[in-house]
Amino acid sequence: MRTTLDLNEKLLSQAMAAAHTKTKKATVERSLRELIRTAHIERLIARRGEGTTLTLRTLSRMRRDA
């Protein structure tokens, strides 16, 4: 799907460097995937309840170790 976006060039350049992507499209797509993944993890943590020590970092480690 084609979409025209007016993006902050400095922010986009920083995102491209951080994500090691070569194109604007790849950067935006990777950013959207990461946003969705993070939101999903946060919902899982919220469902776990209060008093837990489960964090995004802990979940990432668990995922790598699996």
Side-chain angles (χ1 to χ4, degrees), residues 10-47:
K10 183 177 179 183
L11 185 62
L12 184 59
S13 294
Q14 290 174 342
M16 289 175 77
H20 304 289
T21 52
K22 294 181 180 181
T23 66
K24 294 175 185 178
K25 179 181 177 181
T27 305
V28 171
E29 287 180 354
R30 181 167 178 181
S31 299
L32 292 172
R33 283 190 198 96
E34 183 63 22
L35 175 67
I36 293 165
R37 186 184 76 79
T38 302
H40 180 70
I41 290 171
E42 288 173 351
R43 280 194 303 275
L44 289 173
I45 290 170
R47 287 184 193 166

Side-chain angles (χ1 to χ4, degrees), residues 35-65:
L35 175 67
I36 293 165
R37 186 184 76 79
T38 302
H40 180 70
I41 290 171
E42 288 173 351
R43 280 194 303 275
L44 289 173
I45 290 170
R47 287 184 193 166
R48 177 119 166 104
E50 294 182 18
T52 181
T53 58
L54 196 58
T55 64
L56 287 175
R57 181 172 286 156
T58 303
L59 283 173
S60 293
R61 273 192 235 126
M62 290 169 62
R63 188 178 208 182
R64 281 194 303 267
D65 292 343

